[in-house]
Every structure is written in C-alpha cells, then in structure tokens.
Amino acid sequence: MENEQLASAKQVLICQSKTCRKGGSARVLAAFEKCAVAEAAIEASGCLGQCGNGPMVLVLPDDVWYCRVQPGEVPTVVQQHLQKDSPVQAMLYRKFHPMRR
C-alpha cells in the first residue's frame, strides 16, 4: 500500500538554472514550498532545456509543463492540478501542449 502511494505521488520540478533564476524561479520555488501538499514532492531542478520560456515548472509523472510561471500563479497550480488532478490549461507550455480545437 505504501509503495502504491509513492508511485502515484506527483513530483514538481522548478528550474533553478541561470535563465529561469533571472525570471524569478527562486520565488516560484518558495511559493510552491509554502503551498506544499502531501500529494506532491517539490524540488528545485537544474536546467529543463527550455531556456527563454521560464520560469519553467514540470509536473511528473503527468509530464505537464508550465512556462513563465509567477509566484502568484502557484496556488492555482496547487489547487487545480496537484489536488484536483486537472492541469491549468491557460498556463500550459504550448510547445508541449498545443491548444486543442
């Protein structure tokens, strides 16, 4: 049972590489840590390879990418995505999540 809970837990990676840090990713990381929920591990990461679009946030195992995340948007991601399992459509990184018609 405990392994099943670990397998279903989400991991939130917040890029802390040079370009994302210039965009405020340290504040984004702090906001996620402040709003932390048991269902998700919040982690600083190295470069996620999407420089110029940050601060970048990647939610695993969902493989959901958020770009240009601001600290004030973090509660929405936590409440809607991490707690209700519904990605925040307006914040998705369109390179990996094109708009559906």
Side-chain angles (χ1 to χ4, degrees):
M1 179 73 170
E2 193 171 312
N3 287 338
E4 287 177 29
Q5 289 175 334
L6 291 176
S8 66
K10 295 189 187 313
Q11 179 182 26
V12 181
L13 302 177
I14 300 98
C15 180
Q16 296 298 303
S17 194
K18 186 176 182 177
T19 305
C20 283
R21 284 188 71 79
K22 283 183 182 179
S25 66
R27 292 189 315 274
V28 174
L29 175 61
F32 269 105
E33 289 171 339
K34 184 177 179 183
C35 296
V37 294
E39 299 85 13
I42 307 301
E43 299 179 26
S45 79
C47 184
L48 295 172
Q50 302 304 312
C51 296
N53 295 292
M56 295 299 300
V57 173
L58 173 59
V59 180
L60 298 172
D62 302 349
D63 201 29
V64 171
W65 292 76
Y66 295 105
C67 64
R68 295 183 176 89
V69 178
Q70 297 303 306
E73 297 172 315
V74 169
T76 301
V77 174
V78 170
Q79 292 166 359
Q80 189 172 319
H81 189 159
L82 302 182
Q83 294 178 326
K84 296 180 182 174
D85 207 28
S86 179
V88 183
Q89 295 297 315
M91 294 176 60
L92 294 176
Y93 184 33
R94 296 298 170 204
K95 179 177 178 180
F96 297 130
H97 307 288
M99 297 209 45
R100 295 183 186 139
R101 296 179 187 233

